[in-house]
Amino acid sequence: DFVDMHHYGKIEPKAIPRPDDKRAASLGEFGGKGLFVRGHMWPVRNDAYEMMLNREVLTDTYVLMLTELEQMINYFGLSTAIYTQTTDVEHEINGLVTYDRKVEKMDLEKVKYINQEVIKCTRKKEVTFQSKVLCKWKIRDSAMSPVFRELSFKNICIPYFR
């Protein structure tokens, strides 16, 4: 079981749940940073929790959020976090790529790097919390867009920190 919160602002201690004796801490949704890409949006009013000015600002904001997330994993017992979202979906334009999957809205090399760094931090032996794996699964390559195949979203492991 998880104690879960959704948060779309700054990743900081007061914005994340704390694990308890019986439940792991989950940030069930975070992110929500949007970018308008003309000609690649669903034909309705488009929105996000917070709009970014351009690709560079969106990428830098993602890197900052994941760096802050790493701190929450290492020092506050966060076990899992789910970014909202991998692709734009209809009116929600807070994805890594556009609705039609034709435009990468972030620098995906930077996204891959920071994703791998956060994954590595969960594997470190110095982590203050005792960890045990609750579940592990692998997403089939055929179920993934080529854009995501190389972004470290393929193998997912949820460590439970106690």
Side-chain angles (χ1 to χ4, degrees), residues 5-6 8-9 13 20-21 27 32 71 73-74 77 80-81 86 95 100 102 105 108 111 119 127 130 145 152 155 157:
M5 288 177 64
H6 293 192
Y8 304 98
D20 61 33
D21 291 342
L27 185 54
Q71 296 290 301
I73 292 166
N74 284 332
T80 185
T86 54
D100 58 10
K102 292 184 179 180
K105 294 166 56 178
L108 297 184
V111 169
I119 290 168
V127 172
Q130 178 184 355
S145 155
S152 297
N155 293 308
C157 179

Side-chain angles (χ1 to χ4, degrees), residues 3-147:
V3 56
D4 180 66
M5 288 177 64
H6 293 192
H7 182 71
Y8 304 98
K10 181 175 171 30
I11 306 298
E12 56 189 351
K14 68 180 180 183
I16 65 157
R18 299 283 197 240
D20 61 33
D21 291 342
K22 297 181 181 175
R23 299 179 301 169
S26 169
L27 185 54
E29 278 191 16
F30 77 100
K33 310 304 181 202
L35 180 67
F36 290 108
V37 180
R38 294 190 188 284
H40 299 278
M41 296 182 292
W42 190 254
V44 296
R45 182 186 180 281
N46 291 262
D47 58 14
Y49 289 97
E50 182 181 6
M51 299 305 297
M52 301 287 111
L53 293 173
N54 56 43
R55 182 178 197 254
E56 292 74 25
V57 171
L58 180 60
T59 301
D60 289 346
T61 300
Y62 181 86
V63 169
L64 176 61
M65 285 189 304
L66 270 281
T67 301
E68 292 171 334
L69 188 71
E70 183 177 13
Q71 296 290 301
M72 300 305 109
I73 292 166
N74 284 332
Y75 304 109
F76 294 94
L78 185 65
S79 292
T80 185
I82 300 168
Y83 184 76
T84 300
Q85 51 210 32
T86 54
T87 64
D88 289 355
V89 179
E90 296 178 359
H91 71 282
E92 296 178 0
I93 56 172
N94 48 12
L96 300 172
V97 297
T98 56
Y99 176 81
D100 58 10
R101 311 321 193 248
K102 292 184 179 180
V103 178
E104 297 173 354
K105 294 166 56 178
M106 294 187 201
D107 178 335
L108 297 184
E109 284 303 310
K110 288 183 178 180
V111 169
K112 179 179 179 179
Y113 173 79
I114 195 63
N115 286 352
Q116 289 174 337
E117 289 299 304
V118 172
I119 290 168
K120 274 196 268 183
C121 93
T122 68
R123 308 291 195 267
K124 290 181 181 175
K125 291 185 172 45
E126 310 89 60
V127 172
T128 311
F129 304 94
Q130 178 184 355
S131 87
K132 110 180 157 182
V133 173
L134 285 178
C135 59
K136 183 175 183 176
W137 67 93
K138 184 173 183 174
I139 300 170
R140 291 189 335 264
D141 279 348
S142 62
M144 294 184 71
S145 155
V147 171

